[in-house]
Protein backbone atom coordinates (compact mmCIF):
# COMPACT_ATOMS: atom_id res chain seq x y z
CA UNK A 1 0.00 0.00 0.00
CA UNK A 2 1.31 3.44 -0.93
CA UNK A 3 -0.14 6.56 0.59
CA UNK A 4 0.51 10.29 0.15
CA UNK A 5 -0.25 12.39 3.22
CA UNK A 6 -0.65 16.16 3.02
CA UNK A 7 1.86 16.42 0.18
CA UNK A 8 2.88 19.76 -1.20
CA UNK A 9 5.55 19.55 -3.89
CA UNK A 10 7.08 21.53 -6.73
CA UNK A 11 10.29 22.95 -8.08
CA UNK A 12 12.60 25.80 -6.98
CA UNK A 13 10.36 26.70 -4.04
CA UNK A 14 7.32 27.05 -6.32
CA UNK A 15 4.43 24.88 -5.16
CA UNK A 16 2.86 22.81 -7.94
CA UNK A 17 0.81 20.17 -6.12
CA UNK A 18 -0.99 21.07 -2.90
CA UNK A 19 -2.71 19.18 -0.08
CA UNK A 20 -2.43 15.83 -1.79
CA UNK A 21 -3.99 13.02 0.24
CA UNK A 22 -4.41 9.76 -1.58
CA UNK A 23 -3.94 6.03 -1.01
CA UNK A 24 -3.48 3.92 -4.13
CA UNK A 25 -5.36 0.64 -4.05
CA UNK A 26 -3.44 -2.60 -4.34
CA UNK A 27 -3.85 -4.78 -7.42
CA UNK A 28 -5.76 -2.10 -9.27
CA UNK A 29 -5.32 0.54 -11.96
CA UNK A 30 -5.49 4.17 -10.91
CA UNK A 31 -5.28 6.79 -13.63
CA UNK A 32 -4.49 10.42 -12.99
CA UNK A 33 -6.17 12.83 -15.40
CA UNK A 34 -6.21 16.60 -15.67
CA UNK A 35 -5.27 19.44 -17.97
CA UNK A 36 -1.68 20.03 -19.12
CA UNK A 37 0.44 21.50 -16.37
CA UNK A 38 -1.97 20.69 -13.52
CA UNK A 39 0.65 18.61 -11.70
CA UNK A 40 0.03 14.99 -12.74
CA UNK A 41 3.68 14.14 -13.42
CA UNK A 42 4.72 16.01 -10.29
CA UNK A 43 2.34 13.89 -8.20
CA UNK A 44 3.60 10.68 -9.84
CA UNK A 45 7.25 11.63 -9.29
CA UNK A 46 6.60 12.52 -5.64
CA UNK A 47 4.85 9.18 -5.07
CA UNK A 48 7.83 7.37 -6.62
CA UNK A 49 10.35 9.34 -4.49
CA UNK A 50 11.96 10.84 -7.61
CA UNK A 51 10.93 14.28 -6.38
CA UNK A 52 11.11 15.13 -2.68
CA UNK A 53 8.00 16.83 -1.32
CA UNK A 54 8.22 20.27 0.36
CA UNK A 55 5.70 19.11 2.94
CA UNK A 56 3.94 15.90 3.92
CA UNK A 57 5.03 12.31 3.56
CA UNK A 58 4.81 9.32 1.28
CA UNK A 59 4.17 6.10 3.19
CA UNK A 60 5.10 2.78 1.64
CA UNK A 61 4.31 -0.36 3.62
CA UNK A 62 3.93 1.69 6.83
CA UNK A 63 7.35 3.32 6.39
CA UNK A 64 8.35 6.76 5.19
CA UNK A 65 9.52 6.29 1.62
CA UNK A 66 12.76 8.19 2.24
CA UNK A 67 13.81 5.55 4.78
CA UNK A 68 14.30 3.00 1.96
CA UNK A 69 17.66 2.71 0.20
CA UNK A 70 17.56 3.20 -3.57
CA UNK A 71 18.12 -0.50 -4.14
CA UNK A 72 15.41 -1.51 -1.65
CA UNK A 73 12.98 0.92 -3.27
CA UNK A 74 13.79 -0.31 -6.78
CA UNK A 75 12.58 -3.76 -5.71
CA UNK A 76 9.28 -2.28 -4.51
CA UNK A 77 8.38 0.28 -7.14
CA UNK A 78 9.24 1.08 -10.72
CA UNK A 79 8.67 4.23 -12.74
CA UNK A 80 8.42 4.66 -16.50
CA UNK A 81 8.99 8.32 -17.34
CA UNK A 82 7.28 10.10 -20.18
CA UNK A 83 10.13 11.41 -22.27
CA UNK A 84 13.05 9.13 -22.76
CA UNK A 85 16.10 9.45 -24.96
CA UNK A 86 16.43 6.35 -27.07
CA UNK A 87 19.58 4.71 -25.75
CA UNK A 88 21.98 2.75 -27.92
CA UNK A 89 21.23 -0.66 -26.45
CA UNK A 90 19.85 -4.04 -27.44
CA UNK A 91 16.42 -5.24 -26.34
CA UNK A 92 18.03 -7.94 -24.17
CA UNK A 93 20.35 -5.52 -22.40
CA UNK A 94 17.63 -2.93 -21.79
CA UNK A 95 15.34 -5.53 -20.24
CA UNK A 96 18.31 -6.74 -18.13
CA UNK A 97 18.39 -3.20 -16.63
CA UNK A 98 15.23 -4.25 -14.80
CA UNK A 99 17.30 -6.84 -12.92
CA UNK A 100 19.92 -4.34 -11.67
CA UNK A 101 18.37 -3.93 -8.19
CA UNK A 102 18.82 -7.69 -7.74
CA UNK A 103 22.45 -7.93 -8.91
CA UNK A 104 25.55 -7.60 -6.75
CA UNK A 105 27.76 -4.53 -7.00
CA UNK A 106 29.64 -5.93 -10.00
CA UNK A 107 26.29 -6.22 -11.79
CA UNK A 108 26.93 -9.74 -13.04
CA UNK A 109 23.62 -11.34 -14.02
CA UNK A 110 23.08 -14.82 -12.62
CA UNK A 111 21.43 -17.67 -14.51
CA UNK A 112 18.10 -16.79 -12.83
CA UNK A 113 18.29 -13.18 -14.05
CA UNK A 114 19.05 -14.34 -17.60
CA UNK A 115 16.09 -16.71 -17.52
CA UNK A 116 13.75 -14.00 -16.23
CA UNK A 117 14.86 -11.60 -18.96
CA UNK A 118 14.51 -14.24 -21.68
CA UNK A 119 11.05 -15.27 -20.47
CA UNK A 120 9.83 -11.69 -20.09
CA UNK A 121 10.91 -10.85 -23.64
CA UNK A 122 9.12 -13.92 -24.97
CA UNK A 123 5.97 -13.20 -22.91
CA UNK A 124 5.81 -9.76 -24.50
CA UNK A 125 6.10 -11.33 -27.98
CA UNK A 126 9.42 -9.56 -28.51
CA UNK A 127 11.48 -12.72 -29.03
CA UNK A 128 12.43 -11.97 -32.60
CA UNK A 129 13.84 -8.57 -31.63
CA UNK A 130 15.92 -9.79 -28.67
CA UNK A 131 19.30 -8.89 -30.19
CA UNK A 132 18.12 -5.83 -32.09
CA UNK A 133 19.10 -2.34 -31.07
CA UNK A 134 16.02 -0.54 -29.78
CA UNK A 135 16.75 2.20 -32.35
CA UNK A 136 15.56 -0.23 -34.98
CA UNK A 137 12.13 -0.74 -33.40
CA UNK A 138 8.90 1.18 -33.88
CA UNK A 139 7.59 3.40 -31.08
CA UNK A 140 5.03 0.77 -30.08
CA UNK A 141 7.58 -2.05 -29.97
CA UNK A 142 9.99 0.14 -28.01
CA UNK A 143 7.29 0.90 -25.45
CA UNK A 144 6.74 -2.84 -25.04
CA UNK A 145 10.48 -3.29 -24.41
CA UNK A 146 10.32 -0.67 -21.64
CA UNK A 147 7.34 -2.44 -20.12
CA UNK A 148 9.28 -5.73 -20.36
CA UNK A 149 12.06 -3.99 -18.41
CA UNK A 150 9.55 -3.07 -15.68
CA UNK A 151 8.27 -6.66 -15.68
CA UNK A 152 11.83 -7.93 -15.19
CA UNK A 153 12.16 -5.48 -12.29
CA UNK A 154 9.13 -7.25 -10.82
CA UNK A 155 7.91 -4.58 -8.39
CA UNK A 156 4.50 -4.60 -6.72
CA UNK A 157 3.93 -0.96 -7.61
CA UNK A 158 4.32 0.43 -11.14
CA UNK A 159 4.12 4.10 -12.10
CA UNK A 160 3.64 4.92 -15.79
CA UNK A 161 3.70 8.45 -17.16
CA UNK A 162 1.68 8.57 -20.37
CA UNK A 163 2.53 5.05 -21.54
CA UNK A 164 0.37 5.30 -24.68
CA UNK A 165 1.16 8.80 -25.95
CA UNK A 166 2.40 8.93 -29.57
CA UNK A 167 1.29 5.35 -30.24
CA UNK A 168 -1.21 4.37 -32.90
CA UNK A 169 -4.59 3.10 -31.68
CA UNK A 170 -3.61 -0.54 -32.07
CA UNK A 171 -0.47 -0.17 -29.94
CA UNK A 172 -2.33 2.02 -27.43
CA UNK A 173 -4.87 -0.74 -26.86
CA UNK A 174 -2.16 -3.41 -26.79
CA UNK A 175 -0.26 -1.50 -24.07
CA UNK A 176 -3.49 -0.99 -22.07
CA UNK A 177 -4.29 -4.71 -22.31
CA UNK A 178 -0.76 -5.50 -21.04
CA UNK A 179 -1.35 -3.08 -18.16
CA UNK A 180 -4.57 -4.95 -17.37
CA UNK A 181 -2.57 -8.19 -17.31
CA UNK A 182 -0.13 -6.61 -14.84
CA UNK A 183 -3.06 -5.78 -12.59
CA UNK A 184 -4.29 -9.39 -12.77
CA UNK A 185 -0.80 -10.42 -11.64
CA UNK A 186 -1.51 -8.38 -8.49
CA UNK A 187 0.45 -5.25 -9.40
CA UNK A 188 -0.64 -1.80 -8.28
CA UNK A 189 -0.63 0.46 -11.33
CA UNK A 190 -0.69 4.24 -11.11
CA UNK A 191 -0.50 6.04 -14.43
CA UNK A 192 -1.09 9.31 -16.20
CA UNK A 193 -3.16 9.14 -19.39
CA UNK A 194 -4.23 11.91 -21.72
CA UNK A 195 -6.95 9.94 -23.45
CA UNK A 196 -9.98 10.37 -21.21
CA UNK A 197 -11.95 7.54 -22.81
CA UNK A 198 -9.08 5.08 -22.26
CA UNK A 199 -8.66 6.41 -18.72
CA UNK A 200 -12.32 5.87 -17.85
CA UNK A 201 -12.70 2.53 -19.59
CA UNK A 202 -9.49 0.85 -18.33
CA UNK A 203 -9.16 2.10 -14.76
CA UNK A 204 -10.55 1.00 -11.42
CA UNK A 205 -10.02 4.45 -9.96
CA UNK A 206 -9.71 7.90 -11.50
CA UNK A 207 -7.86 10.72 -9.81
CA UNK A 208 -8.94 14.00 -11.42
CA UNK A 209 -6.61 16.93 -10.74
CA UNK A 210 -6.99 20.65 -11.29
CA UNK A 211 -4.51 23.41 -10.47
CA UNK A 212 -2.31 21.12 -8.37
CA UNK A 213 -5.09 19.63 -6.28
CA UNK A 214 -7.17 16.47 -6.38
CA UNK A 215 -10.75 17.30 -7.37
CA UNK A 216 -12.17 13.79 -7.09
CA UNK A 217 -10.74 10.31 -6.57
CA UNK A 218 -13.32 7.63 -7.25
CA UNK A 219 -14.51 4.92 -9.66
CA UNK A 220 -14.81 5.97 -13.34
CA UNK A 221 -18.60 5.76 -13.05
CA UNK A 222 -18.72 8.08 -10.03
CA UNK A 223 -16.24 10.50 -11.59
CA UNK A 224 -18.29 10.58 -14.79
CA UNK A 225 -21.51 11.16 -12.83
CA UNK A 226 -19.94 13.95 -10.78
CA UNK A 227 -19.59 16.03 -14.00
CA UNK A 228 -16.27 17.34 -12.64
CA UNK A 229 -14.51 16.24 -15.86
CA UNK A 230 -16.90 18.52 -17.78
CA UNK A 231 -16.16 21.42 -15.46
CA UNK A 232 -12.36 20.99 -15.44
CA UNK A 233 -11.91 20.34 -19.18
CA UNK A 234 -14.83 22.54 -20.29
CA UNK A 235 -16.42 19.66 -22.22
CA UNK A 236 -19.68 17.78 -22.24
CA UNK A 237 -19.16 14.09 -21.66
CA UNK A 238 -21.49 11.26 -22.57
CA UNK A 239 -21.42 7.56 -21.93
CA UNK A 240 -22.07 4.75 -24.38
CA UNK A 241 -23.17 1.41 -22.99
CA UNK A 242 -23.18 -1.83 -24.91
CA UNK A 243 -25.37 -4.85 -24.43
CA UNK A 244 -22.53 -7.36 -24.28
CA UNK A 245 -19.50 -7.47 -21.98
CA UNK A 246 -17.80 -4.50 -23.65
CA UNK A 247 -16.72 -1.82 -21.19
CA UNK A 248 -18.54 1.50 -21.36
CA UNK A 249 -17.03 4.06 -23.69
CA UNK A 250 -17.01 7.84 -23.30
CA UNK A 251 -17.36 10.73 -25.71
CA UNK A 252 -16.37 14.34 -25.13
CA UNK A 253 -17.62 17.42 -26.92
CA UNK A 254 -16.64 21.03 -26.45
CA UNK A 255 -19.14 22.89 -24.33
P1 LIG B 1 1.25 17.72 -15.95
O1 LIG B 1 1.93 16.39 -15.80
O2 LIG B 1 -0.11 17.75 -15.33
O3 LIG B 1 1.22 18.24 -17.36
P2 LIG B 1 3.55 18.71 -14.48
O4 LIG B 1 3.49 18.05 -13.15
O5 LIG B 1 4.53 18.15 -15.48
O6 LIG B 1 2.09 18.80 -15.10
O7 LIG B 1 3.91 20.24 -14.31
C1 LIG B 1 3.20 21.09 -13.44
C2 LIG B 1 3.88 22.45 -13.40
O8 LIG B 1 5.20 22.29 -12.88
C3 LIG B 1 4.00 23.11 -14.75
O9 LIG B 1 3.74 24.48 -14.58
C4 LIG B 1 5.44 22.91 -15.12
O10 LIG B 1 5.94 23.95 -15.90
C5 LIG B 1 6.15 22.86 -13.78
N1 LIG B 1 7.33 21.98 -13.83
C6 LIG B 1 7.33 20.68 -14.18
N2 LIG B 1 8.58 20.16 -14.12
C7 LIG B 1 9.39 21.18 -13.71
C8 LIG B 1 10.81 21.27 -13.47
N3 LIG B 1 11.62 20.23 -13.61
N4 LIG B 1 11.29 22.48 -13.07
C9 LIG B 1 10.47 23.55 -12.91
N5 LIG B 1 9.13 23.51 -13.13
C10 LIG B 1 8.59 22.35 -13.54
Amino acid sequence: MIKLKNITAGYNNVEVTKNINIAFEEASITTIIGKNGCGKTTLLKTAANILKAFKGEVILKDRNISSFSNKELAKKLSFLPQIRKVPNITVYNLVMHGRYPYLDFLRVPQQKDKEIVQKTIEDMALGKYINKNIYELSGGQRQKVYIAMLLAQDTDIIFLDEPTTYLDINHQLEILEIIKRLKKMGKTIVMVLHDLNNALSYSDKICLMDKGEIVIYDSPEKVFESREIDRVFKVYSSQITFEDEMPKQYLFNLK
Side-chain angles (χ1 to χ4, degrees):
M1 164 74 102
I2 187 156
K3 221 189 287 184
L4 278 68
K5 282 169 73 180
N6 297 318
I7 291 281
T8 295
Y11 313 88
N12 314 318
N13 294 324
V14 180
E15 292 181 359
V16 171
T17 51
K18 282 157 279 193
N19 315 316
I20 302 291
N21 285 291
I22 192 165
F24 298 115
E25 275 178 20
E26 278 173 35
S28 73
I29 299 175
T30 299
T31 302
I32 305 171
I33 58 172
K35 291 197 295 188
N36 285 333
C38 74
K40 302 181 293 297
T41 299
T42 305
L43 193 159
L44 212 60
K45 283 185 177 165
T46 317
N49 204 39
I50 291 166
L51 185 69
K52 301 268 180 278
F54 298 156
K55 272 187 265 170
E57 48 183 357
V58 180
I59 306 289
L60 174 62
K61 294 193 185 291
D62 298 322
R63 270 171 67 185
N64 190 306
I65 204 165
S66 47
S67 71
F68 289 86
S69 70
N70 287 345
K71 204 163 173 171
E72 250 183 316
L73 204 56
K75 290 179 191 167
K76 302 216 174 326
L77 61 85
S78 48
F79 181 88
L80 190 64
Q82 186 185 340
I83 301 159
R84 299 179 300 277
K85 281 189 232 141
V86 182
N88 182 7
I89 191 169
T90 63
V91 168
Y92 181 86
N93 287 337
L94 184 69
V95 178
M96 184 59 83
H97 268 76
R99 298 304 300 164
Y100 279 11
Y102 301 91
L103 306 185
D104 62 17
F105 72 104
L106 290 173
R107 287 192 171 167
V108 183
Q110 304 299 302
Q111 189 55 32
K112 181 174 171 244
D113 301 300
K114 292 178 187 168
E115 282 167 14
I116 290 172
V117 168
Q118 183 81 32
K119 184 173 182 312
T120 309
I121 290 172
E122 278 160 22
D123 286 352
M124 294 289 281
L126 292 165
K128 63 179 169 187
Y129 307 112
I130 192 161
N131 293 315
K132 279 213 185 301
N133 193 299
I134 67 162
Y135 268 114
E136 299 171 71
L137 306 185
S138 72
Q141 291 163 338
R142 208 177 286 146
Q143 193 68 334
K144 279 172 68 180
V145 178
Y146 276 104
I147 291 179
M149 179 181 76
L150 298 189
L151 269 172
Q153 196 177 336
D154 193 23
T155 61
D156 285 343
I157 303 166
I158 300 176
F159 293 104
L160 304 159
D161 197 355
E162 294 189 27
T164 58
T165 304
Y166 305 121
L167 302 183
D168 63 38
I169 185 69
N170 208 274
H171 279 107
Q172 282 183 35
L173 297 175
E174 191 183 357
I175 295 289
L176 290 166
E177 289 299 326
I178 292 167
I179 291 168
K180 238 162 93 174
R181 253 169 45 208
L182 297 180
K183 171 181 109 166
K184 290 204 181 109
M185 289 163 68
K187 313 264 182 205
T188 303
I189 316 282
V190 183
M191 62 180 169
V192 172
L193 283 185
H194 264 301
D195 187 300
L196 294 178
N197 178 50
N198 282 342
L200 290 165
S201 52
Y202 274 91
S203 313
D204 300 295
K205 282 283 185 80
I206 295 287
C207 168
L208 171 65
M209 292 183 72
D210 191 29
K211 302 185 185 83
E213 296 193 71
I214 296 175
V215 175
I216 182 168
Y217 173 52
D218 215 323
S219 66
E221 190 66 28
K222 290 264 169 57
V223 171
F224 169 76
E225 283 168 3
S226 75
R227 292 275 155 212
E228 289 289 359
I229 291 179
D230 299 25
R231 184 182 64 78
V232 168
F233 287 92
K234 298 188 176 64
V235 293
Y236 182 78
S237 55
S238 29
Q239 201 178 39
I240 311 167
T241 42
F242 299 90
E243 277 172 19
D244 51 22
E245 298 284 284
M246 277 261 293
K248 285 178 184 146
Q249 300 290 308
Y250 298 84
L251 281 174
F252 303 90
N253 291 298
L254 273 179
K255 255 185 185 162

